[in-house]
Amino acid sequence: MKAAVYRRPGPADEVLEVVKLERPEPGPGEVRVRMVTSGINPTDWKTRAGLTGRMPDGFQVPHHDGAGVVDAVGSGVTGLTAGQRVWLYLAAFGNRYGTAAEYAIVPAARVVPLPGHASDDLGACLGVPALTAAHCLGGDPDAVKGRTVLVAGGAGAVGHYAIELAKHAGARVVATVSSDDKRTLAERAGADLVVRYTDGDVAERIRDFAGPVDRVVEVAFGANLALDMAVLRPGGTIATYAAAGQLSLPVGEFMQANITLAFVLLYGLSAGQLSDAVRWTSAALAAGALSALPVLAYPLDRVAAAQERVAGQPVGKVVLRIAGN
């Protein structure tokens, strides 16, 4: 099979190459998927660049997310059959065969049926972003039903699905963005109010529209902490999935308001937590409540350029089109 691989961490154009590999066979509990589209997330290029400390086991086919068709199943696999359209998540986590190849071998738990009305692009856009969003929202629709949610970075991949999942669950959603183009994307996702965080009186506008916020899905915890605390109700929750560096917290304010602060990293979730996020995402997908971000497509042979595009933080979702390479 044709596959993108890297054998050591480093710059994309130095370590990524497209090679021919033996098509792997699924072992017990595994599924082989013929890939159609491979979705690329920031965690994919950061791992390849060596920023996460994970080294390849001989070689690594990158990318966690994707969509394709079940090609073969190993012993003990139930509920998945050859020819079935599916979406994948965390394919490359603890596994050398990610989705940037003509075939991927994935544990069956990370392979999810893709409804007939859902495109391959949409399937490849789910995975890490949608499951992160679902967990940040509490892991279950009832956690946000009838409540108010603030989504920071509402035009990003996690923010996009946080808006759509929360709205489908019956929440009122406020989103912050940095530009008018991103405002349009957040509005299309269903946000009830979209505010540019560069404008003045953001906290006042949010409070006037929605009152106190019950939960914040946060992309820039340090930069947005003052705004979050200004609009969050006592007993509310801030779930952040992209915090980095050193943070200084107003511990007294957190304690007085009984604020819950949750740091979310998909790799560290339990099997049960992942199952909850998959269940919620799948139900919303089946109901037609989820949509793809604007897609920026590359062929497999340009995997290095595609990863560099993701590192540049584009508006939209970068994917590899595998079929036809």
Side-chain angles (χ1 to χ4, degrees):
M1 69 176 185
K2 197 174 182 182
V5 302
Y6 63 95
R7 305 176 195 281
R8 62 177 176 85
D13 59 355
E14 292 182 15
V15 301
L16 278 170
E17 57 180 338
V18 177
V19 300
K20 287 285 189 178
L21 296 177
E22 288 293 324
R23 187 173 64 178
E25 296 297 326
E30 293 181 334
V31 177
R32 185 169 68 202
V33 178
R34 178 174 56 80
M35 297 307 306
V36 176
T37 307
S38 173
I40 311 177
N41 297 293
T43 188
D44 295 316
W45 75 259
K46 290 176 182 178
T47 300
R48 181 265 308 153
L51 302 182
T52 64
R54 288 189 285 273
M55 293 291 294
D57 178 18
F59 68 85
Q60 180 66 55
V61 178
H63 304 170
H64 287 308
D65 297 343
V69 177
V70 173
D71 180 68
V73 298
S75 61
V77 174
T78 60
L80 295 167
T81 59
Q84 186 175 14
R85 296 178 68 236
V86 292
W87 59 277
L88 285 64
Y89 69 93
L90 292 183
F93 181 49
N95 176 34
R96 62 167 51 169
Y97 294 105
T99 67
E102 291 178 327
Y103 293 88
I105 293 284
V106 186
R110 303 179 197 172
V111 183
V112 189
L114 185 64
H117 64 79
S119 69
D120 294 312
D121 284 344
L122 174 54
C125 287
L126 298 173
V128 171
L131 300 184
T132 298
H135 189 73
C136 285
L137 289 168
D140 186 275
D142 287 341
V144 293
K145 183 178 180 180
R147 298 183 179 274
T148 300
V149 175
L150 170 61
V151 177
V158 175
H160 175 82
Y161 290 115
I163 293 170
E164 293 191 332
L165 287 167
K167 287 299 299 179
H168 183 62
R172 178 166 51 174
V173 179
V174 177
T176 57
V177 297
S178 61
S179 69
D180 288 335
D181 288 345
K182 292 182 178 181
R183 180 204 301 274
T184 299
L185 290 177
E187 288 174 343
R188 287 176 182 169
D192 299 288
L193 174 69
V194 182
V195 182
R196 292 196 314 178
Y197 62 75
T198 53
D199 293 340
D201 301 323
V202 175
E204 182 178 352
R205 290 184 61 189
I206 293 172
R207 289 193 302 263
D208 287 347
F209 178 83
V213 168
D214 298 290
R215 179 179 291 266
V216 180
V217 177
E218 184 56 74
V219 65
F221 179 61
N224 294 334
L225 177 58
L227 171 61
D228 294 344
M229 294 298 289
V231 301
L232 196 64
R233 70 164 175 82
T237 297
I238 302 172
T240 180
Y241 59 92
Q246 299 296 314
L247 296 171
S248 178
L249 299 179
V251 176
E253 291 183 46
F254 271 76
M255 292 184 66
Q256 290 172 13
N258 286 305
I259 300 299
T260 297
L261 175 59
F263 292 96
V264 175
L265 184 65
L266 212 59
Y267 302 118
L269 299 190
S270 68
Q273 289 171 324
L274 281 171
S275 293
D276 288 342
V278 170
R279 187 178 304 110
W280 185 359
T281 300
S282 293
L285 181 62
L290 303 183
S291 65
L293 285 157
V295 168
L296 310 170
Y298 287 74
L300 178 60
D301 289 339
R302 296 195 63 210
V303 60
Q307 284 205 5
E308 292 288 9
R309 186 77 177 272
V310 176
Q313 300 181 325
V315 177
K317 183 72 173 182
V318 179
V319 305
L320 298 179
R321 295 269 166 76
I322 306 297
N325 279 282

